[in-house]
Amino acid sequence: KLLVAATLVFEFDPSKCRLILTRNNSQLYVKKRRSIELLTLSHFGVESGDTLHLIQYISDAAGKASSDLRGKVDKFGNIVGAEYDYGLDGGFTGLKVAVLQLCTAPECNISLPTASLHQKGFAVHMWTSVPDLQEFQRVLKECCQLWVISSHSNQLTHGHIEAIVSFFQEGKGLFLWGDNDPWYAEANLIGKQILSTTMFGSVPGGKSVPEKTDAAASGFFQHELTTGLKTLFEGITIATIVPGPSVKPLMYGSAGNLVTAYSDEEGRRCIFDGGFTRLFCNWDEAGQPRFVVNCAAWLANLESILSVE
């Protein structure tokens, strides 16, 4: 706690850390830069009584495979411990994830993923039907990312789609979830517009895949999104992604079909996934909880934000 307003200089690694000032119970975020720097707090109007928190939010394991880390592994070969996730527990305090859950099947309950996001510090705003456009736009202004879990028949208005496109263009994260035919209506509408990417079909899954090799048709690529993983569950019955030119593959299923892909261009990040049942069926299968929180941490995209709020 700062007893007097003074010029204080802190050195920190901005590739992994965030500075947060608290004043009168309100949090003021000093967002990090691309390289190590000296930050003079007086530049940001520090006042007497302010509290300063230095939070590491990206783990030292970021981008590493489970096999590159030392520690106990689970029955799937994945290293055990939240410290081996891409993002650290509590590191995303003050950030909010909006979830538009449009799957109407009775089993579509994402309480377990929501609890995992809370553990990382994220607040979650959940809709189980399409909200009024004004409410939708208002909540999106408070969020760092939006997850759309698709239905079998599009429920979004033109106004909602335009709001989502604008949200993405502003540099906010977007997670488009579909599943086997026909459960990809909204993901396809949005994905086609922003990434020229769609999904189709129904492919039997139910297996876990390892890190991909040149000789194998299935598997996942090592990336920040797959930090701490040796094997990853593909889903039960899954769609196949047809990627656009700006989209890169992340995971090929056991049948060799592209299940998960991502885009990371000009500070804008999106994940496109054809197996949303992994969010509520077989949640504890190989690597799934870690994969979901890795995605949320990556979509927060703090490293691309250069401004100070």
Side-chain angles (χ1 to χ4, degrees), residues 136-162:
F136 189 59
Q137 293 171 321
R138 177 184 59 79
V139 173
L140 287 185
K141 289 180 180 179
E142 304 169 355
C143 297
C144 68
Q145 59 193 276
L146 169 66
W147 296 19
V148 179
I149 304 173
S150 299
S151 67
H152 57 80
S153 179
N154 176 49
Q155 299 179 40
L156 298 174
T157 69
H158 177 74
H160 288 87
I161 294 174
E162 287 301 308

Side-chain angles (χ1 to χ4, degrees), residues 34-241:
R34 289 186 182 274
S35 59
I36 294 176
E37 65 178 16
L38 294 177
L39 178 66
T40 305
L41 294 181
S42 62
H43 292 170
F44 305 105
V46 175
E47 298 177 358
S48 176
D50 288 350
T51 302
L52 174 67
H53 301 276
L54 180 61
I55 299 177
Q56 181 174 348
Y57 69 95
I58 298 298
S59 78
D60 294 332
K64 297 180 181 178
S66 182
S67 56
D68 295 329
L69 302 167
R70 292 186 177 182
K72 181 181 177 181
V73 299
D74 62 20
K75 63 182 179 180
F76 306 109
N78 294 320
I79 194 164
V80 175
E83 66 271 27
Y84 300 112
D85 299 341
Y86 175 67
L88 293 174
D89 286 1
F92 299 86
T93 299
L95 301 180
K96 184 182 292 185
V97 179
V99 180
L100 185 55
Q101 157 59 310
L102 300 177
C103 175
T104 55
E107 65 270 21
C108 294
N109 182 326
I110 63 168
S111 58
L112 293 175
T114 299
S116 293
L117 293 178
H118 287 159
Q119 186 173 336
K120 295 301 174 188
F122 290 106
V124 177
H125 187 102
M126 178 79 65
W127 292 291
T128 55
S129 61
V130 178
D132 172 83
L133 181 57
Q134 288 187 338
E135 177 195 341
F136 189 59
Q137 293 171 321
R138 177 184 59 79
V139 173
L140 287 185
K141 289 180 180 179
E142 304 169 355
C143 297
C144 68
Q145 59 193 276
L146 169 66
W147 296 19
V148 179
I149 304 173
S150 299
S151 67
H152 57 80
S153 179
N154 176 49
Q155 299 179 40
L156 298 174
T157 69
H158 177 74
H160 288 87
I161 294 174
E162 287 301 308
I164 293 169
V165 172
S166 296
F167 182 80
F168 175 71
Q169 294 295 337
E170 291 168 2
K172 303 295 183 68
L174 187 58
F175 205 152
L176 299 176
W177 288 94
D179 207 82
N180 59 268
D181 181 45
W183 295 91
Y184 41 59
E186 291 82 8
N188 274 355
L189 275 174
I190 302 164
K192 184 175 183 179
Q193 184 163 342
I194 65 171
L195 299 172
S196 299
T197 298
T198 58
M199 64 180 77
F200 73 97
S202 301
V203 178
K207 298 178 181 178
S208 298
V209 297
E211 187 172 352
K212 196 177 185 310
T213 64
D214 291 339
S218 64
F220 61 85
F221 293 95
Q222 195 54 47
H223 185 273
E224 288 94 339
L225 292 166
T226 55
T227 294
L229 296 178
K230 185 175 182 180
T231 58
L232 181 59
F233 184 61
E234 63 182 333
I236 302 172
T237 305
I238 48 187
T240 298
I241 293 172

Side-chain angles (χ1 to χ4, degrees), residues 14 17-18 31-34 57-58 86 91-92 95 122 144 171 269 297-307:
C17 298
R18 306 164 61 204
K31 292 182 177 178
K32 70 186 194 61
R33 307 280 178 145
R34 289 186 182 274
Y57 69 95
I58 298 298
Y86 175 67
F92 299 86
L95 301 180
F122 290 106
C144 68
R269 290 180 172 178
W298 186 79
L299 286 172
N301 202 11
L302 292 177
E303 56 266 41
S304 74
I305 300 173
L306 302 180
S307 63

